[in-house]
Amino acid sequence: MQAAIASASSSRPWRDELRATLSLAWPMMLANLTMQLIQATDVILLGWLGPTELAAAALALSLSFGMILFALGVLTASSPMIASALGARFNSVRDVRRTFRQSLWAAVMMTVPTLIVLWNAEPIILAFGQEPELARLAAWFLKGYMWVIPPWMLFQVMRNFVSAMERPGWVLIISSAGIPLNGLVSWSLIFGHFGLPALGLIGGGIGSSIVWTAMALALAIVILTDRQFRRFHLFGRFWRPDWRRFRQLFLLGGPIGLTMGFEGGVFSAAAYLMGLFGAPSVAAHQIALQIAATTFMVPLALGQAATVRVGLAYGRGDRDGITLAGWTAFGLGTVFMTVMAALMYVFPRDLITLFLDDTPGNAAVISLGVSFLLVAALFQVVDGAQVVGAGMLRGLHDARVPMVFALFGYWAIGLGVGVALAFAMDWRGIGIWTGLAAGLGVVAILMIWRWTRRETLGLIHASA
């Protein structure tokens, strides 16, 4: 009897952590999925225009992808900083406000160069050896889509705050409303409905910009009016500089941003390498990437939840809590991605034809997309492992070494192997995707190795 009681007692912390992680992560999962589905909706609508337009949009989105992920990574640093302040409790209102304000400063600073690059997209895309017509169409799409960046940045700053407060449900509600709104607005502007002109590609970009602006305003209203949030006075005197906190944000967020930028950049580079094989390869790559990115949203949310849960335990100096929080999120991510790998392997064609009609004119794109998705099935588990592992380490404010892991894994291994297989071995697009799989696997192994040696490496302070 005593043994049974002891066993139940020892398993209770794991059950409690599982419950806490899921209660934090599931709104993040749904919020991530809904935000990803907003872009997936654009891809579907642009796919109806034809493979050429879809390929052009893919090049446009790929140009912005690495910069957006770098910015997201920098802003992500506010989440563990806020979580640690809330875990420590002392003077948390002031510390949270300082971090939020300087995150706004960082968002503005990163928005300006991003807009400059996207405004001059056509010569940049041409410099990467792409077809002139694709470069022209991609630049035209970006003239409307680039205005997504300012509200998207603001939304991410606010999202990190409400997530660290363990109330991400508001992000879910607003993002869920954004999906049908984006579909309706973009559909109307692309094809000309409800008296609006048929703008084609640029209409999709303008529609996304309108929707993200509405979503950012909605979340700002929530923060200003919700009783639990408004006590922080987050937007009060936001123009006041706090150079010490600004530096802290970039010291932690810079490596996180580079880590995420390296991953996003290698997928962007893959899209431009696909362009050397023709428009069908680019279109197929974008569809397969959208599917893989959709499944990736769940382990991304678990990584975000791990950052908060590990960060809270780290702030309390709770060594056992750190262990529980990290491994619980990792186990959930591994199970989910295993299931997704099986679905991709069994139903690749059904998934690809969600984005394109199964017609003879689209046969080449569909065939390539199926082959790419089969490779994506192979790297699902390691993709989930590396993003959750990175989130676990961020909760310990450990970002610099993971940044080096990402640079080595994604670019030296991932792109290096991909280029060798695509061109030297003439595997073409399959070679690029095989290289991506190899890079993700290496990064996953390195992240988990560092987590398992966190105490030996001094990542946990002595009082924990």
Side-chain angles (χ1 to χ4, degrees), residues 54-294:
L54 179 56
L59 293 177
L61 293 171
S62 295
L63 183 63
S64 64
F65 193 46
M67 292 182 292
I68 284 176
L69 279 185
F70 170 75
L72 178 62
V74 172
L75 299 176
T76 295
S78 64
S79 184
M81 290 171 70
I82 292 173
S84 295
L86 293 170
R89 296 297 176 187
F90 175 73
N91 208 21
S92 62
V93 170
R94 181 172 178 272
D95 279 341
V96 168
R97 183 168 58 245
R98 289 176 64 196
T99 298
F100 182 87
R101 286 175 177 171
Q102 296 316 296
S103 296
L104 289 179
W105 278 54
V108 172
M109 189 191 79
M110 293 183 291
T111 294
V112 173
T114 303
L115 292 179
I116 291 172
V117 170
L118 297 184
W119 185 260
N120 296 281
E122 186 169 359
I124 295 173
I125 295 173
L126 286 172
F128 284 118
Q130 304 304 305
E131 298 175 12
E133 180 63 10
L134 289 180
R136 184 188 67 80
L137 290 173
W140 181 237
F141 171 75
L142 283 171
K143 287 295 189 290
Y145 183 81
M146 63 185 287
W147 305 111
V148 161
I149 304 301
W152 182 88
M153 292 270 201
L154 174 60
F155 190 89
Q156 300 312 314
V157 173
M158 296 186 292
R159 177 191 178 189
N160 288 337
F161 166 72
V162 298
S163 297
M165 292 288 291
E166 301 190 76
R167 288 190 57 194
W170 279 113
V171 178
L172 169 62
I173 293 169
I174 293 169
S175 300
S176 297
I179 297 173
L181 179 62
N182 184 69
L184 179 63
V185 174
S186 294
W187 175 69
S188 300
L189 289 171
I190 291 171
F191 299 104
H193 297 287
F194 302 110
L196 296 172
L199 299 177
L201 267 177
I202 196 173
I206 294 172
S208 295
S209 297
I210 292 171
V211 171
W212 274 107
T213 300
M215 289 169 59
L217 289 173
L219 190 53
I221 291 170
V222 168
I223 288 174
L224 289 170
T225 57
D226 183 276
R227 186 171 61 180
Q228 185 178 356
F229 296 152
R230 70 187 181 196
R231 67 190 178 94
F232 290 92
H233 303 289
L234 294 178
F235 295 104
R237 299 182 180 178
F238 65 86
W239 58 86
R240 292 179 60 182
D242 184 345
W243 299 118
R244 184 164 175 261
R245 186 55 57 97
F246 189 77
R247 181 173 177 271
Q248 289 174 343
L249 182 73
F250 270 90
L251 283 174
L252 178 59
I256 297 174
L258 288 172
T259 300
M260 298 180 71
F262 288 149
E263 181 176 7
V266 80
F267 278 95
S268 296
Y272 281 89
L273 289 171
M274 290 290 181
L276 301 178
F277 304 130
S281 292
V282 182
H285 171 79
Q286 185 63 24
I287 293 172
L289 183 59
Q290 284 297 315
I291 296 168
T294 301

Side-chain angles (χ1 to χ4, degrees), residues 239-406:
W239 58 86
R240 292 179 60 182
D242 184 345
W243 299 118
R244 184 164 175 261
R245 186 55 57 97
F246 189 77
R247 181 173 177 271
Q248 289 174 343
L249 182 73
F250 270 90
L251 283 174
L252 178 59
I256 297 174
L258 288 172
T259 300
M260 298 180 71
F262 288 149
E263 181 176 7
V266 80
F267 278 95
S268 296
Y272 281 89
L273 289 171
M274 290 290 181
L276 301 178
F277 304 130
S281 292
V282 182
H285 171 79
Q286 185 63 24
I287 293 172
L289 183 59
Q290 284 297 315
I291 296 168
T294 301
T295 64
F296 178 76
M297 292 300 107
V298 171
L300 176 61
L302 289 167
Q304 292 165 331
T307 296
V308 173
R309 295 294 302 166
V310 171
L312 288 169
Y314 182 76
R316 295 192 305 267
D318 182 358
R319 189 186 301 267
D320 291 337
I322 290 170
T323 300
L324 283 170
W327 285 123
T328 299
F330 181 81
L332 288 169
T334 300
V335 170
F336 175 81
M337 292 302 263
T338 300
V339 174
M340 292 301 101
L343 288 175
M344 287 185 188
Y345 188 80
V346 175
F347 304 109
R349 189 177 187 88
D350 301 271
L351 293 170
I352 295 295
T353 51
L354 291 174
F355 292 80
L356 279 177
D357 293 333
D358 195 354
T359 62
N362 293 329
V365 176
I366 292 171
S367 176
L368 287 168
V370 168
S371 64
F372 297 161
L373 200 58
L374 288 174
V375 179
L378 298 178
F379 68 61
Q380 287 295 286
V381 174
V382 292
D383 198 13
Q386 61 87 19
V387 73
V388 177
M392 291 151 64
L393 292 170
R394 284 170 198 152
L396 301 177
H397 293 210
D398 179 40
R400 294 185 183 180
V401 173
M403 173 192 69
V404 176
F405 291 165

